[in-house]
């Protein structure tokens, strides 16, 4: 998928990634304040803002939340309630079971859909997920966190399986 084939999508993605509040700060806009106000429990191992590909031409701005057994993508929105404070509502849009992850890593420069952006490729049993993040540092931390969580989950499943086998 070459960047010249979809200039409108590239411009939209650039808008999400380059809007700044101060200086050179780069972050995703949608739901940032709501996510910061939300109570991310201690069960969340890692979280970051991301733009996830739903298909070749449709991308959705979301927050990636890594738990011990899955990677969830969600959107945080404020929901007004009558005579009460607004509360933050989390809408889960996708869940990837870490048991299904075959590989995770950065997307090579020659394969990136848009020039100048950092992408992570998550290969699962059913499909390949493409996620765009704000920087190479965030991508490296995201890949490391997912890899570590997958390794830890598989190790605990192997230990449980061997314990069950020894009991028999």
């Amino acid at each position: 998928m070459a960047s010249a084939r979809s200039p409108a999508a590239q411009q939209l993605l650039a808008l999400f990634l380059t809007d700044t509040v101060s200086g050179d700060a780069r972050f995703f806009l949608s739901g940032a304040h709501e996510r910061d106000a939300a109570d991310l429990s201690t069960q969340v191992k890692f979280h970051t803002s991301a733009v996830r590909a739903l298909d070749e031409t449709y991308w959705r701005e979301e927050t990636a939340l890594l738990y011990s057994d899955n990677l969830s993508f969600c959107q945080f929105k404020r929901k007004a309630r009558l005579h009460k404070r607004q509360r933050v509502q989390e809408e889960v849009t996708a869940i990837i079971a870490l048991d299904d992850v075959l590989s995770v890593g950065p997307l090579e420069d020659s394969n990136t859909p848009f020039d100048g952006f950092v992408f992570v490729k998550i290969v699962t049993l059913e499909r390949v997920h493409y996620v765009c993040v704000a920087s190479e540092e965030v991508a490296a931390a995201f890949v490391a966190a997912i890899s570590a969580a997958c390794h830890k989950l598989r190790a605990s499943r192997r230990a449980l399986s061997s314990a069950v086998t020894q009991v028999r």
Side-chain angles (χ1 to χ4, degrees):
M1 186 174 11
S3 61
R5 292 171 53 192
S6 54
Q10 185 173 3
Q11 288 174 350
L12 182 61
L13 188 59
L15 175 68
F16 286 138
L17 292 173
T18 58
D19 192 16
T20 61
V21 171
S22 63
D24 294 334
R26 293 176 70 188
F27 63 95
F28 298 98
L29 299 175
S30 173
H33 298 294
E34 289 80 2
R35 183 191 65 239
D36 293 342
D39 178 26
L40 296 179
S41 69
T42 56
Q43 295 177 356
V44 175
K45 309 294 183 198
F46 184 85
H47 66 89
T48 187
S49 295
V51 177
R52 184 173 59 97
L54 301 180
D55 61 34
E56 286 186 14
T57 59
Y58 185 65
W59 296 76
R60 181 182 292 164
E61 198 173 347
E62 300 171 324
T63 299
L65 300 173
L66 178 64
Y67 295 94
S68 59
D69 62 345
N70 71 59
L71 175 64
S72 298
F73 291 93
C74 61
Q75 293 181 318
F76 290 96
K77 300 176 182 175
R78 288 199 186 273
K79 185 174 182 181
R81 297 189 319 193
L82 192 59
H83 302 329
K84 294 184 179 180
R85 288 187 348 204
Q86 290 183 341
R87 67 182 178 95
V88 176
Q89 180 179 4
E90 173 185 335
E91 177 187 339
V92 176
T93 56
I95 298 175
I96 300 172
L98 293 182
D99 283 334
D100 294 345
V101 174
L102 301 175
S103 68
V104 60
L107 193 59
E108 294 83 29
D109 289 337
S110 61
N111 296 328
T112 58
F114 308 114
D115 297 333
F117 298 105
V118 182
F119 291 86
V120 174
K121 178 173 72 171
I122 304 169
V123 180
T124 65
L125 294 171
E126 296 178 1
R127 70 177 280 198
V128 178
H129 300 269
Y130 295 98
V131 179
C132 181
V133 293
S135 68
E136 289 184 19
E137 293 80 20
V138 173
F142 189 45
V143 168
I146 295 172
S147 297
C150 288
H151 179 71
K152 186 175 181 180
L153 180 65
R154 289 184 181 120
S156 68
R157 297 271 163 93
R158 271 188 250 119
L160 181 62
S161 151
S162 65
V164 169
T165 305
Q166 290 175 357
V167 171
R168 291 183 186 175

